[in-house]
Amino acid sequence: MEILAFGVQYDEKPLLEEAFAATVGPLGHELRCLDVNLDADTAALALGHEVVVSPVNAELDRQVLQTLAVGGTGLIAQRSTGFNNIDLPVAERLGMTVARVSAYSPYAVAEHAWALALACNRRIARAARRTRDFDFRISGLMGRDLHGRTAGVIGTGKIGAAFARIAHGFGMKLLGWDVRENPECLELGMAYVPTAELLARSDLITLHVPLIPETEHLIDAEALRVMRDDAILVNTSRGGLVDTAALVAELRAGRFAGVGLDVYEAEEGLFFLDKSLDFVEDDTLARLVTFPNVLVTGHQAYYTSDAVGQIAHTTASNVVDYLAGRRSENVLVPRLPAP
């Protein structure tokens, strides 16, 4: 059987092929990698493929899922933790199995969040642009010591805890919010407080919660107004956590020392693609990237060889489980029965 993987990046491909060769290859199955994304225009390419491996930015809505089901696809193995791009109720009605990668290296995302925070604080992007032009002035590049200041971590699971450990190493005070307190974070001296208090007291705010209805636009106009004028906001989780239009309005008012975003709420159809020669119609994004205190990367926080290797092996294991009729905690549809 040939397994079809969509949206495979060139430096991701050898890791994915290695994982599948070691795990699925001995069972007589082969992996075929495509660099095109999975959407309404490309779903027909999966005709006759029982197993489809999807990227985080695949458009798995009702139309695409129906096309895949008609073509014989029984398993969608998504190689990411997030799954807000998949219409799970439709997949369930179509009798499809959907699996994800429930966990991988938390350090990849936490370290990228810190890269954004430090780059914003020390004006690294602006400095690099200047030195490329042999302009070595430092006026306008002043940052702040993070030692002794306060980091607010919204979401203190594995990634948030990894971020907190780095913040502790910088000598920062720690505030946290989550539905459950993490003992590891408490040991670092983190104080759990309501979100409004965290936003008001923190010099650096980082988001590490999933995008669900309860967290959509968690950082809305009201939340942004509560934040300090010189705060740094970092989002490496999901774009929908931040109301981007409200953020742009605050930035236009001259607020915030820096904003580092690896995700964007309307990134579908933009991120992971080369749009350098196209006219981008998204006025909000076009305005966002013009602010000198904003740094945007294209959903690359997870993209380390360590994390991608783990994602590849877990995805391959999900395929083996499906072929063997097993279900694990990675299966989203059909859901595991309650214990």
Side-chain angles (χ1 to χ4, degrees):
M1 179 177 71
E2 183 178 74
I3 298 166
L4 194 61
F6 283 86
V8 179
Q9 308 297 321
Y10 84 94
D11 42 4
E12 174 193 18
K13 185 178 179 181
L15 296 171
L16 199 61
E17 289 178 336
E18 178 185 359
F20 271 75
T23 308
V24 183
L27 302 177
H29 308 302
E30 297 181 353
L31 177 71
R32 180 185 172 200
C33 295
L34 302 178
D35 60 1
V36 297
N37 192 26
L38 175 55
D39 55 28
D41 294 327
T42 62
L45 295 173
L47 178 66
H49 290 83
E50 183 179 355
V51 177
V52 166
V53 179
S54 59
V56 64
N57 61 322
E59 299 174 22
L60 289 162
D61 56 15
R62 178 182 57 80
Q63 179 184 352
V64 172
L65 290 171
Q66 287 178 337
T67 300
L68 292 176
V70 170
T73 298
L75 170 66
I76 296 170
Q78 176 138 306
R79 52 188 195 276
S80 71
T81 298
F83 53 89
N84 54 288
N85 61 312
I86 307 173
D87 193 327
L88 294 180
V90 170
E92 190 164 22
R93 288 198 299 271
L94 292 171
M96 307 177 81
T97 298
V98 180
R100 63 163 178 162
V101 178
S102 57
Y104 56 87
S105 167
Y107 310 109
V109 178
E111 290 171 7
H112 190 79
W114 266 106
L116 290 173
L118 293 171
C120 287
N121 181 44
R122 301 307 298 266
R123 314 290 191 264
I124 298 300
R126 182 185 297 180
R129 287 194 296 269
R130 285 187 184 180
T131 55
R132 258 200 311 270
D133 294 330
F134 294 94
D135 178 356
F136 300 103
R137 293 172 299 164
I138 62 172
S139 176
L141 302 181
M142 185 176 289
R144 297 177 292 174
D145 287 4
L146 293 177
H147 178 87
R149 287 189 161 82
T150 300
V153 184
I154 298 180
T156 58
K158 292 180 180 180
I159 297 173
F163 186 97
R165 284 195 298 272
I166 299 172
H168 184 260
F170 272 92
M172 299 188 76
K173 303 169 187 175
L174 294 171
L175 297 178
W177 178 89
D178 208 324
V179 292
R180 288 185 298 273
E181 296 182 356
N182 187 333
E184 181 182 344
C185 292
L186 292 172
E187 290 180 5
L188 296 173
M190 177 179 285
Y192 280 84
V193 296
T195 52
E197 182 179 347
L198 182 150
L199 294 171
R201 292 174 54 188
S202 297
D203 300 287
L204 167 61
I205 298 160
T206 183
L207 308 179
H208 300 292
V209 293
L211 179 60
I212 56 177
E214 292 77 14
T215 61
E216 186 172 5
H217 284 182
L218 177 69
I219 306 300
D220 57 10
E222 182 179 355
L224 291 164
R225 283 193 293 269
V226 171
M227 291 169 54
R228 296 180 176 183
D229 288 346
D230 60 354
I232 295 172
L233 173 65
V234 175
N235 184 14
T236 54
S237 184
R238 286 293 181 267
L241 299 175
V242 178
D243 184 338
T244 315
L247 176 61
V248 168
E250 295 300 313
L251 288 165
R252 289 183 55 144
R255 300 192 62 218
F256 308 133
V259 175
L261 305 174
D262 185 56
V263 288
Y264 172 59
E265 61 180 326
E267 69 182 55
E268 185 176 300
L270 289 172
F271 282 23
F272 301 102
L273 302 173
D274 181 4
K275 294 290 184 179
S276 59
L277 299 179
D278 297 342
F279 177 77
V280 177
E281 298 179 356
D282 190 323
D283 292 337
T284 302
L285 179 60
R287 185 69 181 94
L288 186 66
V289 298
T290 64
F291 290 103
N293 56 335
V294 173
L295 183 57
V296 178
T297 54
H299 207 138
Q300 70 181 72
Y302 76 99
Y303 207 58
T304 67
S305 58
D306 307 87
V308 172
Q310 292 171 8
I311 290 168
H313 280 280
T314 300
T315 302
S317 296
N318 287 341
V319 173
V320 171
D321 285 344
Y322 165 80
L323 295 174
R326 296 188 297 263
R327 282 189 288 167
S328 70
E329 69 280 359
N330 293 328
V331 174
L332 299 168
V333 173
R335 302 187 184 279
L336 286 167

